[in-house]
Every structure is written in C-alpha cells, then in structure tokens.
Amino acid sequence: MFLDSDRLAQDRAAGCDPETVAGRGDLQLVYLKQNLEGLLVRLHDGHESRFLGANEARRRLERLWPEYVKPMSAAALGRRFGLDDLRRAAAHDPYLHDASTMLGLLAR
C-alpha cells in the first residue's frame, strides 16, 4: 500500500497509525515522500536530490515544465519521463526506490 509520508504524523495524531492497523496481514506499506509536483521536479535531470515543500515544488516544476497542468495525463507524463529518470531519482529516495521495485519498474 502506498501512503504519503507527509500525512503520517497527522494520521497518527488522529489515532490512525497505518503501522498498527489490525488485520493488515502481509500488506507492505511504502511511504511516498513529498507531493506529486515534488516527485516530478526530481524526475528532471539535475534535480534528483531536491526535496522541496509543496509550494516551492509547484513553482520549480512550472519553471522546468511550463506546459504542466494538474492533472497531467499518463501519456504526457510518459512522453516527458522515462525509466532512466525514475532510476536517477530513486537512487536518492529510498521510498521511491521501494515503490518502483514493488511495481517491477526497478530490479530488486
């Protein structure tokens, strides 16, 4: 299951800790760091290790990709980014690496 890491503290404060959910069984939790715009910034060459807050990520993404509009289609994302971009960013983000590996996009 993919969860936003920036929501974890709020969820725990509300009594909803995903680590302790009864009946979770073998469900593996993968925490995605940051928001979508932050991830898209890091997929750009030279920005792999930039972990930005939501507002700064949005501004940076608009400079890197002026045509970006939310939500962007899967086809547009596929035209913009490839597996090399994902590999480069995943090398700096263990959460992204784990998620990509679980989806079979990266080798274990």
Side-chain angles (χ1 to χ4, degrees):
M1 173 177 280
F2 299 107
L3 302 169
D4 290 335
S5 65
D6 62 349
R7 299 249 338 142
L8 187 56
Q10 291 172 313
D11 290 345
R12 286 182 174 154
C16 299
D17 187 343
E19 299 286 342
T20 61
V21 171
R24 189 177 117 202
D26 293 333
L27 186 64
Q28 184 174 355
L29 303 178
V30 175
Y31 294 98
L32 301 175
K33 191 164 187 173
Q34 242 179 19
N35 55 46
L36 177 61
E37 286 79 13
L39 170 61
L40 296 177
V41 166
R42 290 185 295 118
L43 291 176
H44 283 86
D45 194 16
H47 297 270
E48 303 80 18
S49 61
R50 291 184 178 231
F51 291 87
L52 305 170
N55 292 333
E56 178 59 25
R58 179 68 183 221
R59 287 190 296 273
R60 180 69 52 108
L61 182 58
E62 288 171 349
R63 286 192 295 262
L64 291 168
W65 192 6
E67 301 82 17
Y68 175 77
V69 291
K70 189 174 184 174
M72 187 59 79
S73 71
L77 292 170
R79 286 189 298 272
R80 182 77 176 189
F81 304 111
L83 279 178
D84 287 341
D85 301 311
L86 180 65
R87 285 186 192 106
R88 217 177 35 255
H92 297 273
D93 182 346
Y95 297 117
L96 180 59
H97 185 272
D98 289 350
S100 301
T101 301
M102 283 180 64
L103 293 171
L105 299 172
L106 298 178
R108 291 195 185 269

